Amino acid sequence: MHEQEQEPSAEGGPWWREAVFYQLYPRSFADANGDGVGDLDGILARLEHLVWLGVDALWLSPFYRSPMADFGYDVSDHCDVDPIFGDLAAFDALLTEAHALGLRVIIDWVPNHTSDQHPWFLDAASSRDSEHRDWYVWRDPVEDGSPPNNWVAAFDLTAPAWTFHEPTGQWYLHLFDPAQPDLDWDQPAVVRAMHEVLQFWLDRGVDGFRADVLHTIGKFPDLPDDPPPVAGIPHCALNDVPVTHERIRAIRSLIDSYPDDRVLVGEIYLMTTDAIASYYGDGDEVHLAFNFPALYAPWDADRWRAAIEETEATLGSRGAWPTWVLSNHDNPRHRTRYDRAAIHRGEDAATTARRSEARARAAAVLLLTLRGTPFLYQGEELGLLDADIRPEQALDPGSRDGCRAPLPWDGSAGHGWSTGPGAGIDPWLPFPPEADVRNREALHTDPNSILHLYRRLLAVRRATPELRAGELELLDTPPGVLALRRSLGAGVCHVVINTTDAEVELSGVLVPVGSTLLIASDDLGRTGAARATSTDRFMLGADQAIILTV
Ligand code: NOJ
């Protein structure tokens, strides 16, 4: 394996501005010890795939000790690896090898809550006078016996964000599952302990963190009710409190005190780009934040244009660097979402089957040509759909199993998933649809596959400074078409995306004479001169996306 050659940074900025991240969900990537659950050695054994693909950085979802009530987002020891995933030596080996291959590695840090099995909470729950009691948020019962406020927990929208703890006669707060009690960040000891966790991993050499629901570490001291119009929405999507910014600034200065541009990526789970943008601070809070309105945008040119305009306006005015993401471990994969939405709009099943992958290919072109740092989610390079999960197979309290299905590596019965002693064992969740043909090995041998499209997109992005770092302008288009102009110095690219099922003729403004087709989403062979004369017609195919140098 060879270390990747990274073009010099087009802007001379930190690495994460021009990197493409790849999210690994360790339970589902690859299983090296044959127990049916993915692990760190499995990732190590498959790093070559990521190098071949051409990503720059990995984000690992939690691998810490955990009772797995929320599959690792309920941490019972922040500074150790859960045995199901390996051990600290396996983590060190993975980090060392990733670095040797030129891949940066960021890890999840879960600051808002712990597991209810964490020694801190076990002590807190042992008595009202315990050392760690005030590390968590406890409230006395109100007279009528109802919870202390109207906050709703995530996962079960009928459930309050509070659980009554009989032995000590108080309610404790949990914005997520009852097995995930919220820490009280008003307590300096909590801040110190969670900063020490960051230091532990920074000292081990990680390149940064994806901070889980980072906007929730500050709460109004009197924990006021959510107002009636939004009551019923999980409180984690509403919590937006000034004191949090101060706390993030302290986290940022700790991270910035380490060399080599370590990065803080905030999961700021708020529903407007404007609200999210405020967590970039004055360049002194998160380096990057996920842009959820874009993740939730349907596959519709107008909606994407609006999301891009809003992102450019709100982040651009702060000098904040955008991120783009289509899929992650919390939401149906984008291919599945776009199909479901199309069916909901009345598209018939045969048409959806015909258009499904074409839409996913066009979406890949968009994701990898927007201005900002893209995040891929494992398996989107295979064009995976969500797995069908029968009720008796469901495991996740938040019904997110479908997008967490294991990756099919080959077309064999066990899909090359378990390579250890238990090879052939059933994985913890069923494989996604079409795994016989839609697996890494099969797509790798087909140069026209979506996998090769992702690889070519990453290569073109790497070789094209204007795509990595250029200005972005939205161009006028026919209906249903989205067009971006990316420019840096003399370098100019046009990206044109047809979200409709009909061919569209493009003007000479979008496809100027003399422009060169770098990528067509549906046909890798179709590259070269796009339009020779001003009278040539350029037809953009149904669901097709193209990148041109002009
Ligand atoms: C956001 C994570 O992405 C999700 O998977 C988790 O359930 C919650 N935060 C709680 O940690």
Side-chain angles (χ1 to χ4, degrees), residues 70 73 113 155 176 180 210 212 267 329-330 400 404:
D70 186 13
Y73 284 94
H113 43 267
F155 308 151
F176 294 89
Q180 292 167 292
R210 175 270 191 188
D212 191 67
E267 187 204 21
H329 65 295
D330 286 334
R400 298 161 293 183
R404 298 175 176 182

Side-chain angles (χ1 to χ4, degrees), residues 23 25 59 61-62 70-74 108 110-113 154-155 175-177 180 210-213 236 267 269 292 328-331 396-398 400 404:
Q23 181 190 355
Y25 193 70
W59 151 30
S61 280
D70 186 13
F71 295 110
Y73 284 94
D74 49 321
D108 235 292
V110 187
N112 176 65
H113 43 267
F155 308 151
L175 296 189
F176 294 89
D177 194 79
Q180 292 167 292
R210 175 270 191 188
D212 191 67
V213 287
C236 66
E267 187 204 21
Y269 190 68
F292 286 104
N328 64 21
H329 65 295
D330 286 334
N331 294 282
D396 176 48
R400 298 161 293 183
R404 298 175 176 182

